[in-house]
């Protein structure tokens, strides 16, 4: 999951996927959503949203991982997402595009629950310190950033296992065998080689995402009413633009996660590839500039529904809760 918190990627996430709480600055009316909701509710809602976001489009994510392979097997070269899915199902079986979905759900639940728990708790304590209980954008920003660090720390190992299971001719049939083998042959660090790349990717992803959403809203919904169609369209476009723009980092992340052996051995890289700069260099040596945009189509298709849903859900709740509060006043 690429994501609508200040994070994920999916994982989305992903890629970066978006959970239902964008930290957006509102007018005074909407200043804060009711904080009466228990933390448990936030965590359950967050976990549910996270799991949904990562699983609904999972087959497309599998295609993306394969398309980002720098030296794909001739039997695993695809022209489009549709063709890839058709080919995988016909040659490798109906369930093959879903391999690794269990570890994603296992990671996304706790990761998103922790994201929301951390975000809510930190936002509250920081707002009290900075503004004595008011809504502080700085507090929201810091809380979102720390929550993202936590979210990605939980998701990263799950992503490594997931991507290795998605690869063509993957030797791993079960999550446990994958975890054991990677741990034994590459050590614990293997699960975190792409952590800095993932965190680096979140920053431009979220920035482009929010800026594009606001830009689209200015054009489609200048009066800023609650207008579901405009929220869905703006959300989808924002997700697409952010996903496409951050694809180079995503290709590097996939290389660091999968340690694709044919690609590394062709460059005589012995041992393992680590570090974002090394990944960038390797992608460039193997694929040139176009190499950085492998899988962009799949990444965009994967991201659009999740950001569209996240924004429309968010805007609906904002509208619903504000309306409710105004009715209570009159």
């Amino acid at each position: 999951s690429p994501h609508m918190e200040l994070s994920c990627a999916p994982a989305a996430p992903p890629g970066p996927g978006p959970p239902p709480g964008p930290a957006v600055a509102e007018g005074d009316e909407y200043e804060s959503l009711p904080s009466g909701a228990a933390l448990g509710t936030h965590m359950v809602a967050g976990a549910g949203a996270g799991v949904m976001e990562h699983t609904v489009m999972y087959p497309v994510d599998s295609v993306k991982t394969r398309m980002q392979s720098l030296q794909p097997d001739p039997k695993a070269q695809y022209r489009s997402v549709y063709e890839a899915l058709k080919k995988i199902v016909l040659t490798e079986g109906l369930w093959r595009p879903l391999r690794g979905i269990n570890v994603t759900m296992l990671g996304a639940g706790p990761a998103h629950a922790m994201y929301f728990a951390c975000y809510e708790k930190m936002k509250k304590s920081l707002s009290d310190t900075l503004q004595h209980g008011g809504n502080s954008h700085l507090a929201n920003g810091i809380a979102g950033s720390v929550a993202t660090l936590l979210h990605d720390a939980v998701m990263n190992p799950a992503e490594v296992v997931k991507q290795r299971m998605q690869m063509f001719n993957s030797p791993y049939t079960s999550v446990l065998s994958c975890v054991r083998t990677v741990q034994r042959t590459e050590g614990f660090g293997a699960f975190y080689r792409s952590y800095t790349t993932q965190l680096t990717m979140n920053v431009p992803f979220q920035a482009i995402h929010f800026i594009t959403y606001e830009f689209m809203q200015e054009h489609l919904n200048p009066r800023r009413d609650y207008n579901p169609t405009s929220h869905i369209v703006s959300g989808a476009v924002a997700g697409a633009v952010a996903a496409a723009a951050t694809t180079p980092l995503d290709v590097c992340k996939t290389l660091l996660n999968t340690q694709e052996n044919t690609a590394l051995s062709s460059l005589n890289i012995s041992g393992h590839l680590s570090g974002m700069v090394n990944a960038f260099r390797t992608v460039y040596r193997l694929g040139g500039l176009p190499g950085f945009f492998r899988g962009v189509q799949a990444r965009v298709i994967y991201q659009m529904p999740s950001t569209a849903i996240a924004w429309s859900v968010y805007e609906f709740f904002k509208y619903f809760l504000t309306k409710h509060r105004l009715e209570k006043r009159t």
Side-chain angles (χ1 to χ4, degrees):
S1 99
H3 321 321
M4 175 156 282
E5 326 121 344
L6 291 158
S7 113
C8 188
V24 204
E26 262 72 81
D28 302 327
E29 256 333 319
Y30 298 141
E31 252 341 338
S32 61
L33 302 183
S35 50
L39 196 56
T41 318
H42 276 292
M43 290 178 76
V44 172
V51 170
M52 277 294 291
E53 175 204 328
H54 285 286
T55 50
V56 173
M57 297 295 284
Y58 189 84
V60 178
D61 186 61
S62 295
V63 170
K64 176 184 75 86
T65 297
R66 290 187 175 203
M67 286 182 151
Q68 286 179 338
S69 159
L70 293 168
Q71 295 220 314
D73 185 293
K75 293 201 275 301
Q77 284 174 336
Y78 314 109
R79 277 192 300 275
S80 70
V81 175
Y82 174 70
E83 187 214 42
L85 281 171
K86 200 168 76 178
K87 199 165 169 181
I88 294 169
V89 167
L90 290 174
T91 59
E92 301 172 57
L94 181 62
W95 301 110
R96 185 60 181 95
L98 291 179
R99 190 188 290 179
I101 195 171
N102 49 350
V103 72
T104 307
M105 292 169 78
L106 207 68
H112 283 260
M114 278 174 69
Y115 178 89
F116 284 100
C118 172
Y119 180 68
E120 292 299 324
K121 278 270 181 253
M122 278 197 68
K123 192 171 69 172
K124 206 161 177 38
S125 53
L126 283 170
S127 292
D128 291 347
T129 324
L130 294 169
Q131 267 202 350
H132 311 297
N135 177 40
S136 151
H137 297 313
L138 179 63
N140 295 351
I142 298 171
S145 307
V146 177
T148 298
L149 284 170
L150 256 178
H151 170 278
D152 288 351
V154 176
M155 269 315 272
N156 222 82
E159 284 269 325
V160 171
V161 175
K162 175 197 82 172
Q163 289 202 292
R164 288 184 183 225
M165 292 179 79
Q166 288 172 333
M167 293 288 274
F168 178 74
N169 265 343
S170 167
Y172 312 108
T173 45
S174 80
V175 171
L176 262 165
S177 75
C178 182
V179 171
R180 284 202 195 108
T181 310
V182 172
Q183 164 80 60
R184 195 179 62 243
T185 57
E186 302 179 37
F188 180 71
F191 295 108
Y192 283 96
R193 287 200 187 102
S194 64
Y195 188 47
T196 45
T197 308
Q198 175 64 53
L199 291 172
T200 307
M201 181 161 69
N202 289 332
V203 178
F205 184 93
Q206 290 307 340
I208 295 167
H209 174 193
F210 284 113
I211 291 165
T212 309
Y213 182 80
E214 292 301 326
F215 173 82
M216 292 294 294
Q217 281 291 290
E218 266 161 36
H219 287 269
L220 294 177
N221 185 12
R223 291 180 49 206
R224 297 303 175 105
D225 305 317
Y226 171 60
N227 172 347
T229 316
S230 87
H231 301 314
I232 290 171
V233 172
S234 301
V237 172
V241 174
T246 52
T247 300
L249 283 157
D250 196 54
V251 173
C252 293
K253 180 186 134 181
T254 296
L255 179 62
L256 290 168
N257 279 350
T258 58
Q259 297 290 314
E260 193 192 332
N261 13 27
T262 43
L264 296 184
S265 53
S266 73
L267 289 179
N268 300 323
I269 296 172
S270 56
H272 300 291
L273 186 71
S274 64
M276 189 164 64
V277 177
N278 290 332
F280 260 98
R281 202 176 290 131
T282 309
V283 171
Y284 185 72
R285 281 172 68 190
L286 282 165
L289 285 176
F292 288 108
F293 287 92
R294 291 189 179 228
V296 64
Q297 183 201 10
R299 186 165 156 77
V300 166
I301 292 172
Y302 176 78
Q303 199 55 55
M304 283 171 78
S306 56
T307 34
I309 292 165
W311 276 110
S312 49
V313 168
Y314 174 74
E315 295 277 9
F316 168 75
F317 275 110
K318 210 168 73 171
Y319 162 75
F320 178 78
L321 295 163
T322 312
K323 191 162 154 274
H324 183 67
R325 197 172 309 155
L326 292 172
E327 279 165 3
K328 275 195 351 203
R329 281 185 204 164
T330 50

